[in-house]
Amino acid sequence: MTVHLNYTWDKNTYLRASYAKLKHSKAGAIIQIIGLIFLFWSLAILWIGIQKGFDKVDLFPLLVVLYIYVLRWPLLNFQLSRQFQKHADKDAKISWEISEESLKGTSAEKSETVIYWNAIDKVIKTREGYFLSRCPTFIWIPFNSFKNSSDRGQFEILVAGKTKFIKK
């Protein structure tokens, strides 16, 4: 069984892959936990502040919460958009041929690579695509790179038989 995939490594694909990687990484989980701690801390300080009065230092946890839940994504979007402009594979046409033995990837503008299944640690299915983890790097395969849903099903069956498959 062989699955053929094609997509363009454009800005939108890059941003979606970066966001998904952050959301499904340990760093993303730690940021969420820190955000929740600071949120509860802010609420406690706010409640105490209403009763006793505020001090300037009391605003610090509220500013952290504001950053984590409001400002972080727009700032990250700006930073990633700038990084993409300098990216070597910017707007490259990516093709993958995924078989029982290996993954063969080609970029029309750059190079060709072969990755054997034993080099893939795990595959994570997200809302928008798949991460093929090769620590410390990853391969992003968006859902729209598949021709149809049966190709996606074949890919999932193939992956489940070759490596650890995680559906999130």
Side-chain angles (χ1 to χ4, degrees), residues 3 9 14 19 27 37 65-66 75 97 113 116 123-124 128 142-143 147 159 163:
V3 178
W9 190 248
Y14 178 73
Y19 289 145
I37 291 168
V65 168
L66 179 70
L75 291 173
E97 183 181 306
T113 185
Y116 294 97
V123 175
I124 301 171
E128 297 186 355
F143 288 153
K147 293 176 186 167
V159 165
T163 189

Side-chain angles (χ1 to χ4, degrees), residues 88-107:
D89 289 332
K90 179 176 129 179
D91 297 322
K93 305 288 185 205
I94 309 292
S95 298
W96 286 101
E97 183 181 306
I98 300 171
S99 67
E100 294 280 338
E101 296 80 35
S102 65
L103 298 91
K104 295 177 185 172
T106 57
S107 170

Side-chain angles (χ1 to χ4, degrees), residues 116-168:
Y116 294 97
W117 282 108
N118 61 358
I120 304 291
D121 301 324
K122 61 186 170 189
V123 175
I124 301 171
K125 180 181 180 180
T126 69
R127 284 187 294 153
E128 297 186 355
Y130 301 96
F131 278 114
L132 284 73
S133 176
R134 298 176 55 206
C135 286
T137 62
F138 69 94
I139 298 166
W140 172 250
I141 299 179
F143 288 153
N144 64 4
S145 65
F146 293 91
K147 293 176 186 167
N148 52 45
S149 60
S150 67
D151 278 356
R152 249 175 77 185
Q154 285 182 337
F155 174 77
E156 288 188 11
I157 291 168
L158 184 62
V159 165
K162 293 294 182 181
T163 189
K164 185 177 177 184
F165 184 51
I166 302 168
K167 296 180 182 180
K168 292 215 176 186

Side-chain angles (χ1 to χ4, degrees), residues 49-131:
I50 290 171
Q51 295 177 351
K52 297 182 180 181
F54 287 101
D55 192 10
K56 290 178 185 175
V57 175
D58 295 340
L59 295 177
F60 174 72
L62 190 59
L63 292 174
V64 172
V65 168
L66 179 70
Y67 169 74
I68 288 176
Y69 289 106
V70 177
L71 298 175
R72 181 172 64 135
W73 293 112
L75 291 173
L76 186 61
N77 189 20
F78 175 74
Q79 178 187 7
L80 290 172
S81 296
R82 289 188 56 178
Q83 283 179 359
F84 178 75
Q85 296 305 322
K86 301 172 189 170
H87 204 275
D89 289 332
K90 179 176 129 179
D91 297 322
K93 305 288 185 205
I94 309 292
S95 298
W96 286 101
E97 183 181 306
I98 300 171
S99 67
E100 294 280 338
E101 296 80 35
S102 65
L103 298 91
K104 295 177 185 172
T106 57
S107 170
E109 295 82 7
K110 302 294 176 197
S111 64
E112 186 172 315
T113 185
V114 176
I115 301 167
Y116 294 97
W117 282 108
N118 61 358
I120 304 291
D121 301 324
K122 61 186 170 189
V123 175
I124 301 171
K125 180 181 180 180
T126 69
R127 284 187 294 153
E128 297 186 355
Y130 301 96
F131 278 114

